[in-house]
Amino acid sequence: MPDTSQQRPYHHGNLRTVLLDAAERSLRAHGVEQLSLRDLARDIGVSHAAPRRHFADRRALLDALAESGFVRLGAQLRAAVDEIDDEDDLPARLHAFAWAYARFATENAALTGLMNSSKHRPGATAVAEAAAAAFGQISDLIEEGQERGALEEGDPEDIGLIIYATVLGITSMVNSGMIEPGRLEGLVDTAVTQFLKGARPTGPR
């Protein structure tokens, strides 16, 4: 009889992608503390050493998962804004951006938590760059609004941070159970509307 204790051979064509998918499922189901390379290897049917071909340790896997999350988020934010046909309709574009973020953050609560905790960790350069690429889009929208005279002058990054922080706060309260999920869309809509009111130019340009 064959030795059943022997690990099954590596058989996945793209182990890195398979591991990241499995890690995200584990993160969603059990949280970050329960995620381990050994358990993931067992779950997908490879030797316990196979994941180290792509991830030196658990931290490297978590960083890669956070990075891929920001890349996916960035693509969803871009797609939401691009769906607005009128490029001059700043309110619609900001609403689309905010709602796309809110939807991602509440549908992927555990992943979003990992992303936010990883992007400022020393050494997590790739995560920080992916986060900057995703959220840099809000600065671009603010700058466009300023150029058209729809928004007050100021640092686009700082101004964009205000609307991001507001929506982040709303989604965090939904994810923690402080706010019912059914209120999410209305609150995000109100947040963007109030932001636009407060960011209008107060005098002649």
Side-chain angles (χ1 to χ4, degrees):
M1 294 180 62
D3 181 6
T4 57
S5 67
Q6 185 176 7
Q7 291 285 351
R8 283 171 287 184
Y10 167 71
H11 62 276
H12 290 289
N14 191 341
L15 180 59
R16 187 179 192 277
T17 298
V18 172
L19 280 167
L20 287 174
D21 289 344
E24 186 169 347
R25 290 194 299 272
S26 176
L27 182 68
R28 184 186 298 270
H30 307 296
V32 68
E33 296 302 326
Q34 299 300 315
L35 200 155
S36 76
L37 285 170
R38 181 178 290 272
D39 289 345
L40 291 177
R42 183 191 64 238
D43 291 344
I44 65 176
V46 298
S47 73
H48 67 82
R52 297 190 183 277
R53 302 181 188 196
H54 299 282
F55 306 110
D57 52 27
R58 179 177 179 274
R59 182 70 260 173
L61 171 67
L62 292 176
D63 283 351
L65 189 57
E67 180 188 357
S68 68
F70 277 119
V71 170
R72 195 162 85 229
L73 171 61
Q76 292 184 17
L77 296 174
R78 189 173 301 106
V81 172
D82 287 347
E83 284 184 2
I84 307 301
D85 293 331
D86 186 354
E87 293 185 359
D88 293 332
D89 192 345
L90 178 66
R93 287 156 69 82
L94 281 173
H95 277 281
F97 184 97
W99 176 239
Y101 174 79
R103 187 168 58 248
F104 180 95
T106 52
E107 291 177 353
N108 305 276
L111 176 61
T112 300
L114 173 65
M115 290 158 57
N116 289 335
S117 65
S118 299
K119 63 183 178 181
H120 297 302
R121 190 182 64 79
T125 305
V127 181
E129 290 176 350
F135 292 123
Q137 297 177 68
I138 188 66
S139 298
D140 293 340
L141 287 174
I142 297 300
E143 190 169 359
E144 290 175 16
Q146 292 173 333
E147 291 173 353
R148 295 188 174 100
L151 297 177
E152 187 64 82
E153 293 295 335
D155 186 328
E157 184 175 347
D158 288 347
I159 296 172
L161 183 61
I162 300 302
I163 185 62
Y164 166 62
T166 303
V167 177
L168 173 65
I170 294 170
T171 58
S172 296
M173 294 175 76
V174 170
N175 288 341
S176 67
M178 296 176 64
I179 295 176
E180 295 180 2
R183 298 185 61 195
L184 176 65
E185 187 169 4
L187 288 170
V188 170
D189 181 71
T190 298
V192 177
T193 298
Q194 293 299 318
F195 166 79
L196 287 166
K197 287 180 179 178
R200 288 173 183 164
T202 55
R205 290 172 61 85

